[in-house]
């Protein structure tokens, strides 16, 4: 049984560019959450998707947007990248309100 | 709002030493509490959890007890191994759901042989 998978593993972008990160949830899971983990910090909640709708959102600007597809996979989009967006982006999946399982993350570097 | 405070790291121990990592929280209502572990280059793995006061979560020799009166959820292990070296995160979810996890800053544990 594959766990949560994320792509790409690493990504380097330039300030002002746009980026799309992808997540495939664990089999049987229908909910996907995204977190940003800056170096040396704990993960910060960005948003959560359920039934293709954004169910809850953390304190992140509108530059951060997402999408969930009918097969429950999800994308995180970040527009107008800033240096401060450099971080590890973690995807977590769950079955409705049950415990969240995390993927290995995508390391984004903005130069 | 919700918040989690963990003891500052790094923590360095010798193999077979006793481990305590302190965690206190602020939350509305009755949160669920978690400990996650992050090994180098990997994502987070759920280590243990507790969903109500006085519950004890345990896994792989680690334990933590949900103390509502002191708003704490301290992680303990009686005898650490080199393989326990990792970053440990205390987290909570509140509002009766698991929608959003609020994490502490993490504590780096290094165990020397």
């Amino acid at each position: 049984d594959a766990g949560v998978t994320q792509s790409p593993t690493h990504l380097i972008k330039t300030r002002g560019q746009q980026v799309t990160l992808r997540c495939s949830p664990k089999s049987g899971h229908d909910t996907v959450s995204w977190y940003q983990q800056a170096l040396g910090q704990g993960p910060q909640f960005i948003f959560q998707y359920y039934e293709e709708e954004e169910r809850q959102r953390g304190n992140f600007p509108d530059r951060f947007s997402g999408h969930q597809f009918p097969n429950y996979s999800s994308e995180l989009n970040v527009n107008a990248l800033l240096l401060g967006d450099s971080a590890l982006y973690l995807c977590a999946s769950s079955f409705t309100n049950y415990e969240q399982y995390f993927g290995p993350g995508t390391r984004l570097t903005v130069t | 709002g919700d918040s989690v405070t963990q003891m500052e790291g790094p923590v360095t121990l010798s193999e077979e030493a006793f481990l305590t990592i302190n965690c206190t929280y602020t939350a509305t209502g009755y949160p669920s509490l978690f400990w996650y572990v992050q090994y180098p280059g990997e994502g987070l793995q759920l280590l243990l959890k507790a969903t109500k006061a006085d519950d004890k979560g345990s896994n792989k020799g680690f334990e933590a007890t949900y103390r509502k009166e002191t708003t704490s959820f301290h992680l303990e292990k009686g005898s650490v191994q080199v393989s326990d070296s990792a970053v440990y995160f205390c987290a909570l979810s509140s509002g009766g759901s698991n929608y959003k996890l609020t994490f502490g800053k993490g504590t780096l544990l290094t165990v020397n042989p």
Side-chain angles (χ1 to χ4, degrees):
Chain A
D1 174 27
V4 180
T5 60
Q6 293 186 242
S7 62
T9 305
H10 297 90
L11 203 52
I12 299 175
K13 289 287 189 178
T14 303
R15 276 178 298 176
Q17 286 188 317
Q18 179 264 346
V19 68
T20 297
L21 310 182
R22 295 176 175 83
C23 172
S24 292
K26 186 176 168 65
S27 177
H29 287 185
D30 58 4
T31 302
V32 173
S33 303
W34 287 92
Y35 294 81
Q36 180 195 66
Q37 185 179 13
L39 198 61
Q41 302 294 315
Q44 298 288 318
F45 176 77
I46 303 174
F47 41 55
Q48 184 180 83
Y49 277 83
Y50 172 69
E51 292 188 340
E52 302 180 51
E53 297 286 333
E54 184 182 289
R55 178 155 68 175
Q56 190 173 8
R57 187 180 183 91
N59 189 25
F60 278 80
D62 291 345
R63 298 188 296 110
F64 289 77
S65 63
H67 188 76
Q68 186 179 34
F69 299 93
N71 67 352
Y72 307 118
S73 66
S74 176
E75 289 182 350
L76 164 66
N77 300 293
V78 186
N79 294 323
L81 284 167
L82 304 174
L83 293 179
D85 295 331
S86 295
L88 180 67
Y89 288 85
L90 295 166
C91 169
S93 74
S94 60
F95 174 66
T96 60
N97 291 346
Y98 291 89
E99 64 188 60
Q100 297 183 26
Y101 290 77
F102 284 81
T106 294
R107 173 72 62 188
L108 173 64
T109 302
V110 182
T111 62
Chain B
D2 296 346
S3 67
V4 174
T5 302
Q6 287 182 239
M7 66 182 284
E8 295 276 333
V11 174
T12 303
L13 297 173
S14 297
E15 209 165 21
E16 300 184 2
F18 184 84
L19 168 70
T20 299
I21 301 178
N22 290 339
C23 172
T24 58
Y25 67 88
T26 302
T28 53
Y30 302 97
S32 295
L33 302 175
F34 307 84
W35 277 100
Y36 280 84
V37 58
Q38 187 174 36
Y39 297 101
E42 298 184 13
L44 277 71
Q45 299 176 24
L46 178 64
L47 182 58
L48 53 84
K49 66 178 181 181
T51 58
K52 60 183 187 295
D54 299 325
D55 267 2
K56 177 185 282 189
S58 62
N59 186 27
K60 299 180 182 180
F62 291 90
E63 293 183 341
T65 301
Y66 189 141
R67 301 289 189 198
K68 185 172 180 295
E69 64 276 12
T70 55
T71 62
S72 65
F73 192 55
H74 305 321
L75 182 68
E76 296 182 337
K77 186 176 186 182
S79 176
V80 294
Q81 305 300 312
V82 172
S83 57
D84 294 327
S85 298
V87 181
Y88 292 82
F89 292 94
C90 185
L92 68 83
S93 66
S94 64
S97 74
N98 194 20
Y99 291 175
K100 166 189 170 183
L101 289 168
T102 299
F103 287 87
K105 290 186 176 182
T107 302
L108 173 62
L109 170 66
T110 301
V111 180
N112 295 317

